[in-house]
Amino acid sequence: MSTIQADPAPPSDPLQEEGSTGRAGDSIFRGLATGAGMIIMLALAGVAIFLVLQSIPALGASGEQAYGADNIVVYIWPLLFGTVLAAVIALVIAAPLSIGVALVISHYAPRRIARLLGYLIDLLAAVPSVVYGLWGRETLQGWVFPIYDWLHDNLGFLPFFEGPVTTGRTILTAGVVLAVMALPIITALCREVFLQTPVMHQEAALALGATRWEMIRMAVFPYARSGITSAVMLGLGRALGETMAVALVLSASGIVTFNLISSQNPSTIAANIALNYANASGTKVNVLIAGGLVLFLVTFAVNFLGRYLAARGRAKA
């Protein structure tokens, strides 16, 4: 008579056993990590609730209470336009430059030079925004004025360079300053992503006869696509929320225009709050906070879109 032997029990997972024993260290670490995450969520919810409640009185503001606008929408719309325009200009300048610098550091420069260049790029992130603003106001606007004059003379038929050129403190100058401020963030993240590309993939491409650029295009970029997207979106968030640099550089008049080199420039939400909050009172404070709520929602949407695109890129990889 044959006997039926039961299958041996599958090997247990040490991590599961360790978690199930309820060790004090694991429980404390789990609680601290969960608590930290909850604190962040509560702080974010608290900020959102504060902005919403303080913005409600601004819904009916008009005239003097809304800084001369007919209603809150008419007041905030040019500021939102200027915020997005300045951030897009910064991103158009900073994104390709940052990716190029990151590639030089990770794949082209000798190790010693790459390390020094990486340190210098990282130091740019430590410079206060007010210093960037003063640099843009006192130095950069003088450098770019002849360039704007040339753009007006040769490309004035385009709506971006209609002019007239009377100052270097334009929305384009503010975009350049924001690009310099976003560059270290995008560069640092792209550099780390490029360095994480599997060496075997790169060596296989080179062994098949690819040049270094072809290897980067076929092996590094596909692997780092989601990381590049996240870095660019993080840089966009940095540009959207910048305050003092834009407030110091921009000669704003609160209009909606695509003319990038004129003295008539749209302002940004953050810069407008910084310039007007000290003298605001009553409903004007609520109007400024309503602008902050719009900026909060735009920044949240940008971060959400960045995470979505990064996750989609990882799924395709």
Side-chain angles (χ1 to χ4, degrees), residues 185-246:
I185 299 175
I186 303 176
T187 301
L189 293 177
C190 289
R191 178 188 64 202
E192 295 303 320
V193 174
F194 293 158
L195 291 175
Q196 294 299 320
T197 305
V199 178
M200 293 296 294
H201 294 183
Q202 303 179 54
E203 292 180 348
L206 293 173
L208 292 173
T211 63
R212 182 174 297 185
W213 165 243
E214 291 173 337
M215 178 271 294
I216 291 173
R217 183 167 53 86
M218 294 185 297
V220 177
F221 282 164
Y223 180 84
R225 184 180 295 113
S226 61
I228 294 174
T229 302
S230 300
V232 171
M233 287 299 177
L234 190 60
L236 177 60
R238 176 75 169 91
L240 285 171
E242 180 51 44
T243 302
M244 291 309 301
V246 178

Side-chain angles (χ1 to χ4, degrees), residues 112-238:
R112 183 174 300 177
I113 297 177
R115 186 181 298 111
L116 176 61
L117 184 59
Y119 289 154
L120 293 177
I121 295 296
D122 292 339
L123 283 176
L124 290 177
V127 178
S129 60
V130 66
V131 175
Y132 282 113
L134 290 174
W135 169 71
R137 181 190 182 101
E138 301 298 330
T139 304
L140 181 62
Q141 66 99 12
W143 292 350
V144 298
F145 186 85
I147 300 176
Y148 294 167
D149 201 22
W150 182 90
L151 290 173
H152 173 63
D153 293 339
N154 295 273
L155 299 176
F157 58 90
L158 297 176
F160 305 109
F161 309 119
E162 288 180 350
V165 180
T166 59
T167 178
R169 297 175 56 189
T170 68
I171 190 69
L172 184 55
T173 305
V176 173
V177 174
L178 292 178
V180 175
M181 298 178 68
L183 187 143
I185 299 175
I186 303 176
T187 301
L189 293 177
C190 289
R191 178 188 64 202
E192 295 303 320
V193 174
F194 293 158
L195 291 175
Q196 294 299 320
T197 305
V199 178
M200 293 296 294
H201 294 183
Q202 303 179 54
E203 292 180 348
L206 293 173
L208 292 173
T211 63
R212 182 174 297 185
W213 165 243
E214 291 173 337
M215 178 271 294
I216 291 173
R217 183 167 53 86
M218 294 185 297
V220 177
F221 282 164
Y223 180 84
R225 184 180 295 113
S226 61
I228 294 174
T229 302
S230 300
V232 171
M233 287 299 177
L234 190 60
L236 177 60
R238 176 75 169 91

